Amino acid sequence: MKSEKENKHKQFDVPQGYFESFDERLMTELKFHQLFPKKSDGFKVPENYFDQVEKTIIQLNKPQGKLVNYNFKTVIGSAAAIAAVLLLLFYVVNPIDKEMEFDSLSITSLENFFEDEERLQDYFSAEELSTIENNTSIFDDQVVTDDIIYEYVDQDIIQSSLADQ
Amino acid sequence: MNSIEDHNVSLKFEDLVSEYKERLYWHIRRMVISHEDADDVLQNTFIKVFKNLNNFQGDSQVYTWLYRIATNETLTFINKRNRTTHLSNEDLHESLVTNLVSDPYFNGDEAQLKLQKAIDTLPTKQKQVFVMKYFDELQYNEISEILGTSEGALKANYHYAVKKITEYVTDN
């Protein structure tokens, strides 16, 4: 009878040493729960913290000039407009000291950027970004971030370009 | 606003913040101790969530994904804080726990203060597992997915954590 019972359990297995260490593990748990019968960490938060932090987080992550679902034909037209405006800005703001021609900015980069809605840095080379930053007054006293460029390109160029069409 | 698809339900970023901010906050707070630090890490966590919403593949549950980001952000923060203060993790945490007595956002009793001190003696991995299992009440399979550790190893980590805490409190 005993061997039949053992056979019944042969289809199951337990980790090595499971039963040998069971008592010790159980006693540890019991002691712990005797010491800390109430589950509490004692931490608290300022009043209305969670309401306020939710607002802060939403505000922090509001899309700023994020471009979505532009028609690609419009994008090509807009990209050309952007290139023209940037080229003009370059010559107006810094006509003499030019280490790199502004028209070396890749139109394909602009098209890919608007088509895929990816990060600007993924499409412009560091040299191209540096050219934009160094040769216009648009970004004076500011670190050029995605958001600043998005906002500038979207609001100042694309929107006015679309409005003119 | 960005959104993701989970189990055929479209979840907006605002919904994620609303639903998970408290759980993630407590998870972070128990690791970094101070409210101000937890607040910073929570905000950084959601900024990362927002930036990566489109990359969420849906091959894990949303909250597992969120916990993973929060855990990584917490560890990054702790490592950065250690570098800045030039203190070891243990020394810094000891000082943070000692300061709990005068922390306006800690109202624990003597037992809870002892518990925090005991948790503080644990290595980071054991501390993480203990917090996630005991306080966050996550299942081992969930913790395994978040930390990328086998369930067997997690059980061992948890057992050693409980044992060390019990011994610390008994001896002190």
Side-chain angles (χ1 to χ4, degrees):
Chain A
M1 188 69 190
K2 191 179 178 183
S3 69
E4 272 180 25
K5 197 176 177 184
E6 281 173 356
N7 280 338
K8 271 185 192 173
H9 294 287
K10 277 196 172 171
Q11 57 189 304
F12 298 112
D13 206 356
V14 294
Q16 202 176 4
Y18 171 77
F19 289 113
E20 287 82 351
S21 64
F22 179 81
D23 295 8
E24 191 265 335
R25 283 184 286 113
L26 179 64
M27 290 313 291
T28 302
E29 282 284 330
L30 284 175
K31 263 191 207 171
F32 179 81
H33 287 283
Q34 276 175 341
L35 285 168
F36 303 105
K38 187 177 68 171
K39 190 183 285 191
S40 169
D41 54 23
F43 293 127
K44 61 177 189 172
V45 294
E47 206 176 342
N48 299 324
Y49 168 71
F50 288 114
D51 291 335
Q52 284 166 3
V53 80
E54 182 170 340
K55 286 176 191 162
T56 308
I57 290 167
I58 301 292
Q59 189 64 34
L60 277 174
N61 291 289
K62 267 194 174 171
Q64 296 177 2
K66 174 91 174 169
L67 303 173
V68 287
N69 298 329
Y70 277 102
N71 178 291
F72 188 60
K73 282 180 184 172
T74 310
V75 167
I76 293 174
S78 302
I82 293 161
V85 171
L86 292 177
L87 189 64
L88 180 65
L89 279 167
F90 171 67
Y91 284 111
V92 168
V93 175
N94 191 2
I96 301 165
D97 184 20
K98 53 179 183 182
E99 290 180 10
M100 181 181 171
E101 291 295 336
F102 216 85
D103 58 7
S104 66
L105 285 174
S106 162
I107 290 295
T108 308
S109 298
L110 286 163
E111 288 170 359
N112 288 342
F113 164 59
F114 286 111
E115 187 179 14
D116 295 340
E117 299 164 21
E118 291 292 346
R119 296 176 70 239
L120 199 61
Q121 283 90 337
D122 293 344
Y123 288 104
F124 288 108
S125 69
E127 198 177 18
E128 286 173 328
L129 285 170
S130 173
T131 305
I132 295 171
E133 189 176 5
N134 293 336
N135 292 286
T136 76
S137 59
I138 303 159
F139 307 116
D140 278 357
D141 303 317
Q142 294 189 70
V143 175
V144 179
T145 63
D146 278 359
D147 288 340
I148 290 170
I149 298 175
Y150 272 130
E151 193 173 357
Y152 166 69
V153 171
D154 183 33
Q155 292 176 6
D156 292 0
I157 298 179
I158 298 260
Q159 296 304 335
S160 53
S161 167
L162 292 175
D164 292 344
Q165 286 176 4
Chain B
M1 189 62 80
N2 283 9
S3 64
I4 57 176
E5 299 292 326
D6 178 57
H7 302 296
N8 301 318
V9 178
S10 180
L11 295 172
K12 286 182 183 171
F13 178 69
E14 296 98 318
D15 298 334
L16 290 178
V17 178
S18 176
E19 177 76 20
Y20 294 104
K21 63 180 186 291
E22 289 197 40
R23 289 176 71 180
L24 294 182
Y25 171 86
W26 291 116
H27 171 62
I28 294 164
R29 174 82 186 269
R30 288 168 187 135
M31 292 297 293
V32 301
I33 308 287
S34 115
H35 164 70
E36 285 74 18
D37 291 345
D39 183 43
D40 282 347
V41 177
L42 182 69
Q43 292 189 29
N44 288 341
T45 297
F46 276 112
I47 287 171
K48 195 147 278 182
V49 167
F50 182 80
K51 285 182 174 173
N52 288 285
L53 273 179
N54 295 331
N55 299 329
F56 177 70
Q57 299 296 318
D59 50 4
S60 62
Q61 292 196 52
V62 174
Y63 76 88
T64 314
W65 181 65
L66 295 173
Y67 259 89
R68 196 181 306 136
I69 294 176
T71 301
N72 290 338
E73 281 298 306
T74 304
L75 288 182
T76 303
F77 173 84
I78 289 172
N79 291 335
K80 200 172 167 185
R81 185 172 64 183
N82 292 352
R83 280 199 304 273
T84 314
T85 57
H86 302 294
L87 289 173
S88 70
N89 197 25
E90 290 72 26
D91 289 344
L92 183 66
H93 264 255
E94 192 180 335
S95 135
L96 286 166
V97 172
T98 307
N99 290 341
L100 273 180
V101 182
S102 56
D103 190 331
Y105 303 123
F106 181 78
N107 63 353
D109 55 22
E110 188 63 29
Q112 285 153 354
L113 188 61
K114 264 191 181 173
L115 176 59
Q116 288 305 324
K117 285 183 176 174
I119 293 171
D120 204 47
T121 63
L122 302 174
T124 305
K125 189 63 177 279
Q126 282 179 20
K127 194 184 296 182
Q128 275 183 313
V129 176
F130 178 79
V131 164
M132 292 166 107
K133 180 79 182 117
Y134 181 69
F135 286 119
D136 299 345
E137 298 181 335
L138 293 174
Q139 300 298 312
Y140 281 120
N141 63 333
E142 294 167 336
I143 303 172
S144 172
E145 201 174 322
I146 293 163
L147 297 180
T149 308
S150 72
E151 288 187 37
L154 292 173
K155 285 176 186 171
N157 268 307
Y158 181 74
H159 172 67
Y160 285 122
V162 169
K163 195 175 177 181
K164 282 183 192 173
I165 290 170
T166 306
E167 284 171 1
Y168 178 91
V169 174
T170 309
D171 294 346
N172 291 274

